[in-house]
Amino acid sequence: ASMQINMDDQERLLDEATAVFKEQAFHMGRAIDSDNLREALKHSSNMICELRTSLLSPKNYYELYTRVFDELQNLARFFRDKSRHNRKMNELYESVQHAGNILPRLYLLITVGSVYIASKEAPAKDILKDLTELCKGVQHPMRGLFLRFYLSQMCKDKLPDTNSEYEGEEGGDIHDAFEFLLTNFTESNRLWVRLQHQGAVKDKARREIERYDL
């Protein structure tokens, strides 16, 4: 019965988080349509705030994450079109660092950072190193793992690998690409281990199932 209550609670928590997400995503979309950068950043930050929860199971958190990920691709497209927001990439990269909470701040920073690298207005290795280091600010195992996953998803095609368009004297080389991948993997692995050991001993079996789901 308690397991059923827990499942019911999970469903309710996911429904509540999804409702807030949908509302904020709607307002973000309207702001993007009207080229309003300030409002787009405000509502995207509110939308990402739903990922601050520690109440959802990994499976439900992933479901919420995928919705947020899809919406952030729309925001990235808006960032790419400088004629719409009239900001230089370094200004945009600077401005999202003022988001009130660390989790929305880092998701937005990664989103802008991936566009910044693609614009070639800054060396890829510098932005990648900056993002990798800043992500260490989130040490909650599940939130941190998904943040690292987002970093990988957004930057995997922007590494200064051999013969990559981002390789160069300033952009970096295969060693910088390798360092990014290795650091991200190491930090993710550390969070993964912590996920196993957090919480009460009596919940160990449930945590193992959740880790398997994840």
Side-chain angles (χ1 to χ4, degrees), residues 2 4 6-7 19 24 45 52 76 86 96 130 139 144 151-152 163 168 175 184 193 202 214:
S2 61
Q4 186 58 48
N6 191 37
M7 286 172 69
Q24 294 302 323
S45 182
R52 289 175 62 197
N86 298 315
V96 297
D130 196 32
Q139 286 297 315
L151 176 61
S152 297
N163 297 325
H175 298 293
N184 211 30
V193 171
K202 63 184 171 64
L214 194 58

Side-chain angles (χ1 to χ4, degrees), residues 3 36 50 61 76 82 84-85 89 111 122 127 147 158 179 187-188 190 209:
M3 187 70 175
N36 188 331
E50 290 308 298
Y61 192 94
K82 281 189 278 187
R84 295 182 64 186
H85 54 72
M89 289 314 304
T111 309
I127 303 297
L147 180 67
K158 298 174 182 70
E179 187 183 346
E187 290 297 324
S188 297
R190 189 173 289 140
I209 292 169

Side-chain angles (χ1 to χ4, degrees), residues 90-108:
N90 64 328
E91 293 172 350
L92 202 53
Y93 193 69
E94 194 68 40
S95 69
V96 297
Q97 297 190 42
H98 300 301
N101 186 272
I102 189 168
L103 197 68
R105 188 189 315 149
L106 290 175
Y107 271 94
L108 289 173

Side-chain angles (χ1 to χ4, degrees), residues 136-162:
K136 289 178 182 175
V138 176
Q139 286 297 315
H140 181 276
M142 193 160 68
R143 291 195 290 269
L145 273 170
F146 277 93
L147 180 67
R148 293 260 166 205
F149 182 44
Y150 186 67
L151 176 61
S152 297
Q153 282 183 300
M154 294 301 285
C155 296
K156 63 186 177 186
D157 58 345
K158 298 174 182 70
L159 305 182
D161 204 350
T162 305

Side-chain angles (χ1 to χ4, degrees), residues 159-176:
L159 305 182
D161 204 350
T162 305
N163 297 325
S164 155
E165 61 181 300
Y166 304 108
E167 183 191 27
E169 203 170 309
E170 286 194 351
D173 56 26
I174 192 168
H175 298 293
D176 298 295

